[in-house]
Coordinates of all heavy atoms in Angstrom, one line a residue:
M186 N -112.7 -105.6 -130.9 CA -111.7 -104.8 -131.6 C -112.3 -104.4 -133.0 O -113.0 -105.1 -133.6 CB -110.4 -105.6 -131.8 CG -109.4 -105.5 -130.7 SD -107.9 -106.3 -131.1 CE -106.9 -106.0 -129.6
K187 N -111.9 -103.2 -133.4 CA -112.2 -102.7 -134.7 C -111.4 -103.5 -135.7 O -110.3 -103.9 -135.4 CB -112.0 -101.2 -134.8 CG -112.7 -100.3 -133.9 CD -114.2 -100.2 -134.3 CE -114.9 -99.2 -133.4 NZ -116.3 -99.1 -133.7
E188 N -111.9 -103.7 -136.9 CA -111.1 -104.4 -137.9 C -109.8 -103.9 -138.2 O -108.8 -104.7 -138.4 CB -111.9 -104.5 -139.2 CG -111.3 -105.3 -140.3 CD -111.0 -106.7 -139.9 OE1 -111.9 -107.3 -139.3 OE2 -110.0 -107.3 -140.3
R189 N -109.6 -102.6 -138.1 CA -108.3 -102.0 -138.3 C -107.3 -102.5 -137.3 O -106.1 -102.7 -137.6 CB -108.4 -100.5 -138.4 CG -107.2 -99.7 -138.8 CD -107.5 -98.3 -138.9 NE -106.3 -97.5 -139.4 CZ -106.3 -96.3 -139.7 NH1 -107.4 -95.5 -139.5 NH2 -105.2 -95.7 -140.2
T190 N -107.7 -102.5 -136.1 CA -106.8 -103.0 -135.0 C -106.6 -104.5 -135.1 O -105.5 -105.0 -134.8 CB -107.4 -102.6 -133.6 OG1 -107.7 -101.3 -133.6 CG2 -106.4 -102.9 -132.5
L191 N -107.7 -105.2 -135.4 CA -107.6 -106.7 -135.6 C -106.6 -107.1 -136.6 O -106.0 -108.2 -136.5 CB -109.0 -107.2 -136.0 CG -109.9 -107.8 -134.8 CD1 -111.2 -108.2 -135.4 CD2 -109.2 -108.9 -134.0
R192 N -106.4 -106.3 -137.6 CA -105.4 -106.6 -138.7 C -104.0 -106.9 -138.1 O -103.3 -107.7 -138.7 CB -105.4 -105.5 -139.7 CG -104.5 -105.8 -140.9 CD -104.6 -104.7 -141.9 NE -103.6 -104.8 -143.0 CZ -103.6 -105.7 -144.0 NH1 -104.7 -106.4 -144.2 NH2 -102.7 -105.7 -144.8
T193 N -103.7 -106.2 -137.0 CA -102.4 -106.4 -136.4 C -102.3 -107.7 -135.6 O -101.3 -108.3 -135.4 CB -102.0 -105.3 -135.5 OG1 -102.9 -105.2 -134.4 CG2 -102.1 -103.9 -136.2
I194 N -103.5 -108.3 -135.2 CA -103.6 -109.5 -134.5 C -103.7 -110.7 -135.4 O -103.2 -111.8 -135.1 CB -104.8 -109.4 -133.5 CG1 -104.8 -108.2 -132.6 CG2 -105.0 -110.8 -132.7 CD1 -103.6 -108.3 -131.6
R195 N -104.4 -110.6 -136.5 CA -104.8 -111.7 -137.4 C -103.6 -112.6 -137.7 O -103.7 -113.8 -137.8 CB -105.5 -111.2 -138.6 CG -106.9 -110.7 -138.3 CD -107.8 -110.7 -139.5 NE -109.1 -110.1 -139.2 CZ -110.1 -110.7 -138.6 NH1 -110.0 -111.9 -138.2 NH2 -111.3 -110.1 -138.4
P196 N -102.4 -112.0 -138.0 CA -101.3 -112.9 -138.4 C -100.9 -113.9 -137.3 O -100.4 -115.0 -137.6 CB -100.1 -111.9 -138.6 CG -100.8 -110.7 -139.0 CD -102.0 -110.6 -138.2
R197 N -101.3 -113.6 -136.1 CA -100.9 -114.5 -134.9 C -102.0 -115.5 -134.6 O -101.7 -116.4 -133.8 CB -100.7 -113.6 -133.7 CG -99.4 -112.8 -133.8 CD -99.1 -112.0 -132.6 NE -99.9 -110.7 -132.6 CZ -100.0 -109.9 -131.6 NH1 -99.4 -110.2 -130.4 NH2 -100.6 -108.8 -131.7
I198 N -103.1 -115.5 -135.3 CA -104.1 -116.5 -135.1 C -104.6 -116.9 -136.6 O -105.2 -116.1 -137.3 CB -105.4 -116.0 -134.4 CG1 -105.0 -115.3 -133.1 CG2 -106.3 -117.2 -134.1 CD1 -106.1 -114.7 -132.3
Q199 N -104.2 -118.1 -136.9 CA -104.5 -118.6 -138.3 C -105.4 -119.8 -138.3 O -105.8 -120.3 -137.2 CB -103.2 -118.9 -139.0 CG -102.4 -117.6 -139.3 CD -103.0 -116.7 -140.4 OE1 -103.2 -117.1 -141.5 NE2 -103.3 -115.5 -140.0
M200 N -105.8 -120.3 -139.4 CA -106.8 -121.4 -139.5 C -106.4 -122.4 -140.6 O -105.9 -122.0 -141.6 CB -108.2 -120.8 -139.8 CG -109.3 -121.9 -139.8 SD -110.9 -121.1 -139.9 CE -111.9 -122.5 -139.5
V201 N -106.6 -123.7 -140.3 CA -106.5 -124.7 -141.3 C -107.9 -125.3 -141.5 O -108.6 -125.7 -140.5 CB -105.6 -125.9 -140.8 CG1 -105.6 -127.1 -141.8 CG2 -104.2 -125.4 -140.6
F202 N -108.4 -125.3 -142.7 CA -109.8 -125.6 -143.0 C -110.0 -127.1 -143.2 O -109.1 -127.8 -143.4 CB -110.2 -124.8 -144.3 CG -110.2 -123.3 -144.1 CD1 -109.0 -122.6 -144.4 CD2 -111.3 -122.6 -143.6 CE1 -109.0 -121.2 -144.3 CE2 -111.3 -121.3 -143.5 CZ -110.1 -120.5 -143.8
Q203 N -111.3 -127.4 -143.2 CA -111.7 -128.9 -143.4 C -111.4 -129.3 -144.8 O -110.8 -130.4 -145.0 CB -113.1 -129.0 -143.0 CG -113.6 -130.4 -143.2 CD -115.1 -130.6 -142.9 OE1 -115.8 -129.6 -142.4 NE2 -115.7 -131.8 -143.1
D204 N -111.8 -128.5 -145.8 CA -111.7 -129.0 -147.2 C -110.4 -128.3 -147.8 O -110.5 -127.1 -148.1 CB -112.9 -128.6 -147.9 CG -112.9 -129.1 -149.4 OD1 -111.8 -129.4 -149.9 OD2 -114.0 -129.1 -150.0
P205 N -109.3 -129.0 -148.0 CA -108.1 -128.4 -148.5 C -108.2 -127.9 -149.9 O -107.5 -126.9 -150.3 CB -107.1 -129.5 -148.3 CG -107.9 -130.8 -148.4 CD -109.2 -130.4 -147.7
Y206 N -109.1 -128.4 -150.7 CA -109.3 -128.0 -152.1 C -110.0 -126.7 -152.1 O -109.7 -125.7 -152.8 CB -109.9 -129.0 -152.9 CG -109.9 -128.7 -154.4 CD1 -108.7 -128.7 -155.1 CD2 -111.1 -128.3 -155.1 CE1 -108.7 -128.3 -156.5 CE2 -111.0 -128.0 -156.4 CZ -109.8 -128.0 -157.1 OH -109.8 -127.6 -158.4
A207 N -111.2 -126.6 -151.4 CA -112.0 -125.4 -151.4 C -111.3 -124.2 -150.8 O -111.6 -123.1 -151.1 CB -113.3 -125.7 -150.7
S208 N -110.3 -124.5 -149.9 CA -109.7 -123.4 -149.3 C -108.5 -122.8 -150.1 O -107.9 -121.8 -149.7 CB -109.1 -123.8 -147.9 OG -108.1 -124.8 -148.0
L209 N -108.2 -123.4 -151.2 CA -107.1 -123.0 -152.1 C -107.7 -122.4 -153.4 O -108.7 -122.9 -153.9 CB -106.2 -124.1 -152.4 CG -105.4 -124.8 -151.3 CD1 -104.7 -126.0 -151.7 CD2 -104.4 -123.8 -150.7
N210 N -107.1 -121.3 -153.8 CA -107.5 -120.7 -155.1 C -107.0 -121.6 -156.2 O -105.8 -121.7 -156.4 CB -106.9 -119.3 -155.2 CG -107.4 -118.5 -156.4 OD1 -107.7 -119.1 -157.4 ND2 -107.4 -117.2 -156.3
P211 N -107.9 -122.1 -157.1 CA -107.4 -123.0 -158.1 C -106.6 -122.3 -159.2 O -105.9 -123.0 -159.9 CB -108.8 -123.5 -158.7 CG -109.8 -122.5 -158.4 CD -109.3 -121.9 -157.0
R212 N -106.6 -121.0 -159.2 CA -105.8 -120.3 -160.2 C -104.5 -119.9 -159.7 O -103.7 -119.2 -160.5 CB -106.6 -119.0 -160.7 CG -107.9 -119.4 -161.4 CD -108.6 -118.1 -161.9 NE -109.8 -118.4 -162.6 CZ -111.0 -118.7 -162.1 NH1 -111.1 -118.7 -160.8 NH2 -112.0 -118.9 -162.8
M213 N -104.1 -120.2 -158.5 CA -102.8 -119.9 -157.9 C -102.0 -121.1 -157.8 O -102.4 -122.2 -157.4 CB -103.0 -119.3 -156.5 CG -103.4 -117.8 -156.5 SD -103.3 -117.2 -154.8 CE -103.6 -115.4 -155.1
T214 N -100.7 -120.9 -158.1 CA -99.7 -122.0 -157.9 C -99.5 -122.1 -156.4 O -99.9 -121.2 -155.6 CB -98.4 -121.8 -158.6 OG1 -97.8 -120.6 -158.0 CG2 -98.6 -121.5 -160.1
V215 N -98.8 -123.2 -156.0 CA -98.4 -123.3 -154.6 C -97.6 -122.1 -154.1 O -97.9 -121.5 -153.0 CB -97.6 -124.6 -154.3 CG1 -97.1 -124.7 -152.9 CG2 -98.5 -125.8 -154.6
A216 N -96.7 -121.7 -154.8 CA -95.8 -120.6 -154.5 C -96.6 -119.3 -154.3 O -96.5 -118.5 -153.4 CB -94.7 -120.4 -155.5
E217 N -97.6 -119.0 -155.2 CA -98.4 -117.9 -155.2 C -99.3 -117.9 -153.9 O -99.5 -116.9 -153.3 CB -99.2 -117.7 -156.4 CG -98.4 -117.4 -157.7 CD -99.1 -117.5 -159.0 OE1 -100.2 -118.2 -159.0 OE2 -98.7 -116.9 -160.0
A218 N -99.9 -119.1 -153.6 CA -100.8 -119.2 -152.5 C -100.1 -119.0 -151.2 O -100.6 -118.3 -150.3 CB -101.4 -120.6 -152.5
L219 N -98.8 -119.4 -151.1 CA -98.1 -119.2 -149.9 C -97.5 -117.8 -149.7 O -97.3 -117.3 -148.6 CB -96.9 -120.2 -149.8 CG -97.3 -121.7 -149.8 CD1 -96.0 -122.6 -149.7 CD2 -98.2 -122.0 -148.6
E220 N -97.3 -117.2 -150.9 CA -96.7 -115.8 -150.9 C -97.8 -114.8 -150.6 O -97.6 -113.7 -150.1 CB -96.0 -115.5 -152.2 CG -95.3 -114.2 -152.2 CD -94.6 -113.9 -153.5 OE1 -94.9 -114.5 -154.5 OE2 -93.7 -113.0 -153.5
E221 N -99.1 -115.1 -151.0 CA -100.2 -114.2 -150.9 C -100.3 -113.5 -149.5 O -100.4 -112.3 -149.4 CB -101.5 -114.9 -151.3 CG -102.7 -113.9 -151.3 CD -104.0 -114.6 -151.6 OE1 -104.1 -115.8 -151.3 OE2 -104.8 -114.0 -152.3
P222 N -100.4 -114.3 -148.4 CA -100.5 -113.6 -147.1 C -99.3 -112.8 -146.7 O -99.4 -111.7 -146.0 CB -100.6 -114.8 -146.1 CG -100.1 -116.0 -146.8 CD -100.4 -115.7 -148.3
L223 N -98.1 -113.1 -147.2 CA -96.9 -112.4 -147.0 C -97.0 -111.0 -147.7 O -96.7 -110.0 -147.1 CB -95.6 -113.1 -147.5 CG -95.4 -114.5 -146.8 CD1 -94.2 -115.1 -147.6 CD2 -95.1 -114.3 -145.4
I224 N -97.5 -111.0 -148.9 CA -97.7 -109.8 -149.6 C -98.8 -108.9 -148.9 O -98.6 -107.7 -148.7 CB -98.1 -110.0 -151.1 CG1 -96.9 -110.7 -151.8 CG2 -98.5 -108.7 -151.8 CD1 -97.2 -111.2 -153.2
A225 N -99.9 -109.5 -148.5 CA -101.0 -108.8 -147.9 C -100.6 -108.1 -146.7 O -101.1 -107.0 -146.3 CB -102.1 -109.8 -147.7
H226 N -99.6 -108.7 -145.9 CA -99.2 -108.1 -144.7 C -97.9 -107.4 -144.8 O -97.3 -107.1 -143.7 CB -99.2 -109.1 -143.6 CG -100.6 -109.6 -143.1 ND1 -101.3 -108.9 -142.1 CD2 -101.4 -110.5 -143.6 CE1 -102.5 -109.5 -142.0 NE2 -102.6 -110.5 -142.9
G227 N -97.4 -107.2 -146.0 CA -96.2 -106.4 -146.2 C -94.9 -107.1 -145.6 O -94.0 -106.4 -145.1
R228 N -94.8 -108.4 -145.7 CA -93.7 -109.1 -145.2 C -92.6 -109.3 -146.3 O -92.8 -110.1 -147.2 CB -94.1 -110.5 -144.6 CG -95.2 -110.4 -143.5 CD -94.5 -109.9 -142.3 NE -95.5 -109.9 -141.2 CZ -95.7 -110.9 -140.3 NH1 -95.1 -112.1 -140.5 NH2 -96.6 -110.8 -139.4
G229 N -91.5 -108.6 -146.1 CA -90.3 -108.9 -146.9 C -90.4 -108.4 -148.4 O -91.5 -108.0 -148.9
N230 N -89.2 -108.5 -149.1 CA -89.2 -108.2 -150.5 C -89.3 -109.6 -151.2 O -89.5 -110.6 -150.7 CB -87.9 -107.5 -150.9 CG -86.6 -108.3 -150.5 OD1 -86.6 -109.5 -150.5 ND2 -85.6 -107.6 -150.1
A231 N -89.3 -109.5 -152.6 CA -89.6 -110.7 -153.4 C -88.6 -111.8 -153.1 O -89.0 -113.0 -152.9 CB -89.5 -110.3 -154.9

């Protein structure tokens, strides 16, 4: 699939990484980290 089409599939296949610290942005709060994918995929209002 082209990346543009894959973008509609990616929300349905997610990943949990080995290193929980390296996979989190140290400059983001928990709320910001959890909200980030929702914003990126246009899910809901604030």
Side-chain angles (χ1 to χ4, degrees):
M186 276 186 179
K187 302 285 187 184
E188 182 57 40
R189 189 171 184 177
T190 309
L191 264 177
R192 184 175 169 81
T193 65
I194 303 294
R195 291 199 185 282
R197 289 179 277 171
I198 310 176
Q199 293 290 301
M200 186 171 190
V201 174
F202 296 89
Q203 177 178 359
D204 186 340
Y206 188 70
S208 66
L209 296 171
N210 187 331
R212 295 181 176 85
M213 281 188 172
T214 65
V215 173
E217 290 168 340
L219 298 184
E220 189 181 18
E221 183 183 33
L223 301 173
I224 294 173
H226 287 270
R228 299 289 181 90
N230 57 36

